[in-house]
Amino acid sequence: MDGVKDRIKAFAAMTHGPEVLDSGGGFAGLFALGGYRDPVLVASTDGVGTKLKIAAQLGHFEGVGQDLVTLNVNDILTKGARPLFFLDYVSFSAFDEHRLEMLMRGMVWGCREAGCALIGGETAQLPGVYAEADFDLAGFVVGVVERDNLLDGSRVVPGDRLIGIPSSGVHTNGFSLVRRVFNTDEYPDALFRPCPGLPRNLGDELMVRHRAYYPLLEPYLGSIKALSHITGGGLPGKMPASLPGGVTAEFHVGAWPIPPVFDAIQRAGGISDEEMYRVFNMGLGMVAVCDPDRASELLSGLPDAMDVGQIVESTGPNRTVFRTA
C-alpha cells in the first residue's frame, strides 16, 4: 500500500505548479491563490455515473479517470472560471491497485489538459457496500474568476445567437438507458461486437472520452454572455440554467450533425425523439450565447463551432424549443 501511495504522489506532482504548497502531511492539500483583484471561487462536484459499469466490463479505466476531471472542469467553465485544483474520491469493495493506478493516470491527463493541480483525494475500501468487482468515483474541482467576468446569463437578450460546440459522443450521461437498451449487464459481449451504423465496436464508441471545452473556450470567454454544459437532462434540461427570465433558447433542428451513436441507441431501443433530447446531449456538448456581432469571432476561431439557433422572447413555459431549420 505504501508503494501505491508513493506512485499516487508522483502522479499528482506532475500537475503541480508553484501555487501548490507542501502540506506537510496527508490530511489536506494547500493552494496559494494570488493575482486576482476581486476573485470569486467556483466549485463543482460530480461523478461519471454508470459509465463506470461499461469501463469495468471493457477494462478501460484511464478514460473515465480523465472524464471525471473534464466534466467537472466543464461545469465551472460555464461561470467563466479557470480551474485551480482538483480532488478525487475512489471507493472499492476490495482495494484494486491496477484500477486505481489506471484511474489516476487518467485524472492526471485531465488535469494537465485543463491546467489544474491534483492536490489530494481519498481512496476508501467499503466491503459490503459494493459488490465485489464494483467501485465508485467522484471528483471535486475549485476554480476562480474575477467578479466582473462572471458568466451569470444576466445580459442575455432576445436576438443573441446560440453557438454550439460539438460533443465527442455520449460523454458521461445516459448510460443507464444505454445499458438497458443494449442489455450489456446480461450480455456484455455486445460491447465487443460491431454495431450497425457505427464505425467501431459499441464499447469503443461508448468509451469515447468526454470532450474538454476549457482549452477551446478560454480565449473567447470575453465574447460570451452565457454557457451551458449539456449533460444529464439534455438541451431542454440544461439550457434554462444559463438564461435569465423572460427568454427562451430556440434551436434550429438540422443546424448541427447528430453523431451516429445516438441514432444507433434510438433504433435499438425504439426511443422517442423527445426522450433522446431529454437524456442525451445529441451532439452538442456546450452551447454559448453571444451577441450577433460577436458570433463570427467564435465561429471563425473555433474550428467546429456552429450557429445552432437564437434567443427569443418567452411566450410560454418552455425555456428550450426546437424549430426546423
Side-chain angles (χ1 to χ4, degrees), residues 219-269:
Y220 301 96
L221 290 175
S223 300
I224 294 172
K225 291 183 174 181
L227 276 172
S228 285
H229 183 204
I230 310 306
T231 54
L235 291 165
K238 293 304 180 184
M239 279 305 301
S242 66
L243 302 178
V247 301
T248 289
E250 180 183 88
F251 287 89
H252 298 163
V253 177
W256 72 92
I258 296 176
V261 65
F262 296 113
D263 182 58
I265 294 168
Q266 186 170 20
R267 284 188 289 104

Side-chain angles (χ1 to χ4, degrees), residues 181-259:
V181 164
F182 293 104
N183 199 10
T184 57
D185 288 352
E186 188 172 353
Y187 301 105
D189 286 352
L191 297 169
F192 299 90
R193 294 197 299 265
C195 182
L198 298 183
R200 49 193 158 191
N201 290 347
L202 175 64
D204 292 335
E205 190 70 38
L206 294 176
M207 286 304 297
V208 171
R209 73 179 186 87
H210 198 124
R211 190 174 183 185
Y213 294 102
Y214 178 77
L216 291 170
L217 290 174
E218 189 275 333
Y220 301 96
L221 290 175
S223 300
I224 294 172
K225 291 183 174 181
L227 276 172
S228 285
H229 183 204
I230 310 306
T231 54
L235 291 165
K238 293 304 180 184
M239 279 305 301
S242 66
L243 302 178
V247 301
T248 289
E250 180 183 88
F251 287 89
H252 298 163
V253 177
W256 72 92
I258 296 176

Side-chain angles (χ1 to χ4, degrees), residues 7-61:
R7 288 198 297 277
I8 290 174
K9 289 179 182 178
F11 281 137
M14 296 171 63
T15 70
H16 291 178
E19 303 90 351
V20 178
L21 308 180
D22 184 357
S23 65
F27 291 103
L30 302 178
F31 190 96
L33 178 64
Y36 291 87
R37 295 178 288 102
D38 189 13
V40 175
L41 295 179
V42 183
S44 180
T45 182
D46 206 345
V48 298
T50 59
K51 190 173 184 177
L52 286 178
K53 298 285 287 188
I54 304 294
Q57 287 170 311
L58 294 171
H60 294 172
F61 302 108

Side-chain angles (χ1 to χ4, degrees), residues 162-182:
L162 302 177
I163 305 300
I165 301 92
S167 66
S168 54
V170 182
H171 282 181
T172 50
N173 293 97
F175 276 84
S176 294
L177 180 56
V178 169
R179 289 168 44 239
R180 177 170 62 80
V181 164
F182 293 104

